[in-house]
Amino acid sequence: MKSIFLFLFACFSLGVSAATMPTLTSYPSGKEKNLNTDKKTKVLVFLSKTCPCTQQNIPYINEMAKTFPEIEFIGVHSVRNATAKDIEEIRQNYKAEFPIIDDSDLKMADFLKANRTPQTFILNESNEVLYSGGVTERTNPYSAKKLYLKNALTELANNLAITEKETRSLGCIILR
């Protein structure tokens, strides 16, 4: 009973449940990406083409994706009225090696209550939020001492509970 209470408390405190997530378009494929049918642990990274923090973090996120190949990394470009060209510029200019979904209507940002770029969410196979927060405690991950995302993923890979489930995100605000 206590574990059910803790789960419900965590869902409400993070403002997220395992409810149906929005379906969005993925780039470079241009196909619909339905996270509801994707039964894999995933990291969603909210991005913005114009955010310097996003730009600094993409190479680090690429490294995390290589370090944890069993986890799917997905960029979420949450900029109102953005275009496919904006997303392609991120892929080309900053060498994003993971798919990026178009969230120009901010459905995913609203659903997860994301407020900054780059903010990350680790979701389990049922789309329950296991972690929400920053990549690190610095805007430049290579000068960071606290590696929030890496630590959470390492704990998951070792079948341990994530000790820091929510951390502060630094970066640009997602404008509503």
Side-chain angles (χ1 to χ4, degrees):
M1 184 69 171
K2 184 178 178 182
S3 62
I4 293 171
F5 174 76
L6 290 174
F7 170 75
L8 292 173
F9 176 77
C11 287
F12 285 113
S13 67
L14 289 174
V16 175
S17 69
T20 302
M21 299 184 84
T23 298
L24 303 166
T25 304
S26 177
Y27 291 91
S29 71
K31 295 180 181 175
E32 292 283 307
K33 179 75 172 166
N34 185 341
L35 298 178
N36 298 306
T37 59
D38 185 4
K39 300 297 180 192
K40 188 173 187 180
T41 301
K42 56 199 120 333
V43 173
L44 300 183
V45 183
F46 284 81
L47 308 170
S48 168
K49 177 181 96 166
T50 60
C51 178
C53 297
T54 290
Q55 297 163 8
Q56 290 182 46
N57 275 273
I58 287 176
Y60 184 79
I61 299 297
N62 287 338
E63 290 174 20
M64 291 295 97
K66 289 176 185 166
T67 302
F68 300 96
E70 69 282 2
I71 296 175
E72 182 176 16
F73 284 73
I74 303 166
V76 182
H77 191 253
S78 291
V79 176
R80 187 168 297 287
N81 301 320
T83 65
K85 182 181 176 194
D86 293 328
I87 294 170
E88 190 53 35
E89 285 179 22
I90 290 176
R91 296 184 53 70
Q92 294 295 319
N93 296 342
Y94 305 108
K95 311 289 188 246
E97 297 174 4
F98 44 87
I100 300 174
I101 56 177
D102 175 17
D103 190 32
S104 57
D105 57 7
L106 305 180
K107 285 181 184 176
M108 187 65 75
D110 289 344
F111 183 81
L112 289 171
K113 297 183 179 18
N115 58 17
R116 297 206 177 262
T117 61
Q119 183 174 0
T120 61
F121 292 82
I122 300 174
L123 307 177
N124 69 9
E125 297 83 3
S126 301
N127 288 329
E128 297 162 331
V129 175
L130 304 177
Y131 170 80
S132 167
V135 176
T136 67
E137 98 288 3
R138 305 288 304 257
T139 56
N140 181 341
Y142 295 104
S143 63
K145 291 185 173 87
K146 295 180 182 178
L147 308 174
Y148 301 135
L149 180 61
K150 183 178 184 179
N151 292 343
L153 293 172
T154 299
E155 289 171 335
L156 271 181
N158 291 314
N159 296 316
L160 300 170
I162 296 174
T163 54
E164 274 191 284
K165 295 182 186 317
E166 191 170 357
T167 62
R168 181 174 170 229
S169 293
L170 301 174
C172 302
I173 293 174
I174 298 173
L175 298 175
R176 301 287 200 289

